[in-house]
Amino acid sequence: MKTAGQPASFLFKFMILLKKTFLILPLLCLILSCSTRTDNQNSDQELEKSYAIEPVDLDLNKIKERGYLNAIVDNSATSYFIYKGRPMGYEYEMLKWFCDDLGVELRIIITNDIAVALEKLNRGEGDIAAFNLTITKERKKYVDFTEPLYLARQVLVQKKPKNWRRMKIHEIEKELIRDPVELIGKNVHVRKSSAFAARLANLSEEIGGDIVILEDSSSLEVEELIRMVAEGEIEYTIADEDVAMLSATFYPIIDVKTPISFSQRIAWAIRSNADSLETTVNQWLENKQKKTDYYVIYNKYFKNLKRSASRSYSEFSSVSGDKLSPYDEQIKETAEKIGWDWRLLASLIYQESRFDPNASSWAGAQGLMQLVENTAAEFGAENLNDPRQSLTAGAAYINWLQNTMKEYIEDSVERQKFILAAYNVGIGHVEDARRLTEKYGGDPDVWEGNVAKYLLLKSKLKYYTDPVVKYGYCRGSEPVNYVEEIFERFKQYKQLLKKPEDNNLQANNSVL
């Protein structure tokens, strides 16, 4: 039998062989099917109310026309996570590759709730749901699935004995569950609305005894449940084998060798009426899964487990940590001085230097905030590679821009966009774009569709030679993309790295 996490193309020959074996087929169908759970009769009804809605009319042509694709992902080691400030994940990299080939921008929506993700899909808030989704009969009633990306078995995650390192293998085996029958009467925690609950319900029927299925919060990542097993907070959970094996590399005290299913298909969900998008994705997957580049991405997350685990379980990973960089505390202090959300400032710094205090550019900019020598000297920095000096001088420069612009741009968020553009290309070019915007009937105090538009046009002769322009030619795509990328990253940081007051508010709401 193929092990979990192998590319889908390898399994289909095996599946054909199974279909020819009529004695095995009924068992396979039973294991892969979805039945009503025994622990919570209302759960399936809640699911139906959630995303059993008419999908909006939004297919590939409209996605191309607007220029971006909304992908719904979860914060996990295989789908999407932030590591040292940059996005990673098998499905993220595949989605980015697909969007690049399609010629559209990839926009990320993060939710760990499967039902919410499928609801957003049918409402048109997302176009593809991509986070380790198992194809099930229940889900296929409401959404379509692409061809599988890969295959994965579901496995039991359990804790080894405390002194397992000093025990012999057969002694360890006696302490562990190897036959699913032994799960009768056991409490098994799974994420709400996941395929794991349905599989356990089926397994209960197959073994003729009740497994106590405890559905935890739908926002709880599988990796968090695995951590709880490793630390003894719960006894058992279920995970796809690829995720479980990755976690076992980081938590050697857990055992993930007991399968509870045959291989299951992992795919992306798409609206049932988005036929053109589905066909395009399927053709693209078929083509890419034949190429070396695909296996480079696949192996990066599913084969090189130690390296993958070191990223996923780092303190600088959104899966298990709460830091973007070694300089988070200094960035927070600096952000407070300029009145910004620290995650916006962090997004700017990542854009400039990838949090490398020794970074330098072809133009001579250096340090975390990529200041040139004259700007650094003007705002008090002598050593550009000193993180604190770079942050202090960068903050002083941003404050100068804020004080200059707040006289005519009242909205703080709009002002931040103008400041970021000026930080990238200089305030003179931004002022030129404002004057052009006003001349041609736009709003000089609004970025999107107004000043951004004319900053782009400053690369054309008609506009950079206009009498109102003082600073000449500008390759405006750079600052416009700069602002867009920083705010998109800021959005992702906000979803994954909550401020302390956000956590307090969430706690208060849960009490109420």
Side-chain angles (χ1 to χ4, degrees):
M1 176 177 289
K2 290 288 183 184
T3 56
Q6 295 193 14
S9 57
F10 288 101
L11 177 73
F12 293 139
K13 293 179 181 179
F14 179 63
M15 293 292 285
I16 292 170
L17 179 61
L18 283 178
K19 288 181 179 180
K20 292 179 179 179
T21 311
F22 71 93
L23 290 175
I24 296 176
L25 181 57
L27 176 60
L28 178 64
C29 293
L30 180 61
I31 288 178
L32 294 181
S33 65
C34 286
S35 65
T36 305
R37 288 190 295 272
T38 58
D39 63 309
N40 187 346
Q41 294 297 327
N42 293 323
S43 287
D44 287 335
Q45 295 176 9
E46 290 170 3
L47 284 178
E48 290 186 13
K49 290 178 182 178
S50 175
Y51 53 82
I53 54 179
E54 188 72 21
V56 300
D57 181 16
L58 180 57
D59 207 346
L60 184 61
N61 59 333
K62 293 182 180 179
I63 292 170
K64 281 186 172 182
E65 185 178 340
R66 73 185 184 192
Y68 61 88
L69 180 143
N70 287 324
I72 309 168
V73 298
D74 73 341
N75 177 39
S76 70
T78 55
S79 178
Y80 171 84
F81 62 99
I82 297 291
Y83 174 65
K84 292 186 176 180
R86 73 185 180 102
M88 296 190 73
Y90 166 77
E91 291 184 288
Y92 169 78
E93 291 201 32
M94 291 292 288
L95 287 164
K96 187 72 170 64
W97 194 9
F98 173 68
C99 286
D100 288 346
D101 285 352
L102 199 61
V104 298
E105 176 193 348
L106 172 62
R107 294 189 179 180
I108 295 295
I109 299 170
I110 302 168
T111 178
N112 293 324
D113 190 316
I114 295 171
V116 169
L118 299 185
E119 181 180 353
K120 286 181 177 293
L121 199 63
N122 281 336
R123 292 191 185 281
E125 297 172 32
D127 303 304
I128 292 176
F131 50 95
N132 221 37
L133 284 172
T134 304
I135 300 175
T136 68
K137 289 182 178 179
E138 182 67 23
R139 291 171 183 167
K140 286 177 70 176
K141 295 177 184 177
Y142 310 107
V143 295
D144 281 353
F145 285 91
T146 64
E147 291 299 314
L149 279 79
Y150 61 93
L151 306 164
R153 296 184 301 181
Q154 294 180 15
V155 296
L156 179 69
V157 180
Q158 57 187 319
K159 189 177 181 180
K160 298 173 185 174
K162 287 183 180 180
N163 60 338
W164 67 277
R165 292 186 186 275
R166 297 191 297 272
M167 298 170 66
K168 296 179 180 179
I169 293 177
H170 74 273
E171 293 174 333
I172 297 174
E173 288 294 309
K174 285 183 179 180
E175 300 291 325
L176 298 174
I177 289 179
R178 287 291 179 245
D179 190 329
V181 171
E182 297 173 54
L183 284 173
I184 293 174
K186 303 291 187 182
N187 293 339
V188 183
H189 292 254
V190 294
R191 187 165 70 173
K192 186 178 180 181
S193 302
S194 67
F196 307 132
R199 174 63 200 128
L200 286 174
N202 283 344
L203 185 58
S204 290
E205 293 294 326
E206 294 163 18
I207 63 180
D210 289 334
I211 300 170
V212 182
I213 307 167
L214 300 174
E215 294 193 53
D216 289 282
S217 170
S218 56
S219 62
L220 199 64
E221 295 96 344
V222 172
E223 287 88 349
E224 177 62 13
L225 288 169
I226 293 174
R227 180 201 64 77
M228 293 168 71
V229 171
E231 297 183 3
E233 297 176 29
I234 60 176
E235 283 192 280
Y236 307 104
T237 190
I238 306 297
D240 287 321
E241 190 171 23
D242 47 16
V243 177
M245 290 176 65
L246 178 61
S247 299
T249 306
F250 186 76
Y251 298 115
I253 198 169
I254 64 171
D255 177 88
V256 298
K257 295 179 180 178
T258 303
I260 67 161
S261 78
F262 287 129
S263 293
Q264 297 182 314
R265 298 171 296 166
I266 306 299
W268 293 342
I270 294 177
R271 281 181 296 277
S272 59
N273 60 350
D275 296 337
S276 182
L277 176 61
E278 183 178 347
T279 299
T280 301
V281 171
N282 285 336
Q283 291 173 347
W284 182 86
L285 283 173
E286 182 181 3
N287 176 261
K288 295 304 181 185
Q289 287 177 335
K290 298 174 183 177
K291 297 185 179 296
T292 302
D293 288 348
Y294 168 76
Y295 287 95
V296 170
I297 296 174
Y298 180 84
N299 291 341
K300 178 179 179 180
Y301 293 98
F302 298 123
K303 293 299 182 183
N304 302 325
L305 290 179
K306 287 187 177 180
R307 183 173 295 180
S308 185
S310 69
R311 290 190 301 261
S312 302
Y313 291 97
S314 164
E315 63 179 329
F316 302 117
S317 165
S318 62
V319 173
S320 60
D322 59 357
K323 295 181 179 180
L324 287 172
S325 77
Y327 311 104
D328 283 7
E329 293 307 315
Q330 295 176 43
I331 293 171
K332 290 174 184 177
E333 292 173 8
T334 305
E336 191 172 346
K337 293 176 183 177
I338 63 176
W340 281 19
D341 186 311
W342 81 274
R343 296 163 296 188
L344 177 60
L345 180 59
S347 182
L348 181 155
I349 294 169
Y350 178 83
Q351 187 84 11
E352 290 288 346
S353 66
R354 303 299 192 266
F355 301 120
D356 179 3
N358 298 311
S360 60
S361 75
W362 64 270
Q366 297 181 51
L368 283 180
M369 297 197 69
Q370 288 293 281
L371 301 170
V372 294
E373 285 190 7
N374 59 345
T375 303
E378 182 179 352
F379 292 100
E382 297 179 358
N383 182 359
L384 288 170
N385 297 122
D386 181 286
R388 190 166 290 281
Q389 288 191 43
S390 181
L391 286 166
T392 299
Y397 179 41
I398 288 173
N399 264 335
W400 178 79
L401 291 171
Q402 289 192 135
N403 290 333
T404 302
M405 294 183 180
K406 70 181 181 182
E407 297 179 5
Y408 47 83
I409 303 175
E410 295 182 3
D411 184 89
S412 61
V413 176
E414 283 297 314
R415 190 162 61 243
Q416 286 171 340
K417 294 176 182 178
F418 280 80
I419 289 166
L420 290 174
Y423 195 95
N424 176 260
V425 77
I427 193 169
H429 288 299
V430 175
E431 291 299 318
D432 278 350
R434 289 188 73 247
R435 285 188 286 270
L436 283 169
T437 304
E438 188 170 24
K439 177 176 179 177
Y440 286 95
D443 189 335
D445 299 338
V446 174
W447 179 253
E448 296 288 343
N450 288 271
V451 177
K453 171 184 175 181
Y454 288 95
L455 194 53
L456 286 168
L457 289 171
K458 273 199 75 188
S459 63
K460 297 184 179 298
L461 180 65
K462 172 183 174 181
Y463 295 95
Y464 71 74
T465 59
D466 192 288
V468 302
V469 170
K470 298 180 180 179
Y471 293 89
Y473 173 87
C474 174
R475 190 161 57 187
S477 59
E478 289 187 7
V480 170
N481 291 337
Y482 180 87
V483 173
E484 184 175 319
E485 288 169 10
I486 288 175
F487 265 88
E488 178 61 24
R489 189 180 304 107
F490 173 44
K491 175 183 174 183
Q492 294 170 29
Y493 286 178
K494 283 196 295 182
Q495 293 184 81
L496 295 173
L497 299 162
K498 295 188 180 298
K499 293 189 293 185
E501 53 267 39
D502 294 336
N503 294 331
N504 292 337
L505 178 62
Q506 189 174 35
N508 291 335
N509 288 339
S510 65
V511 170
L512 294 175

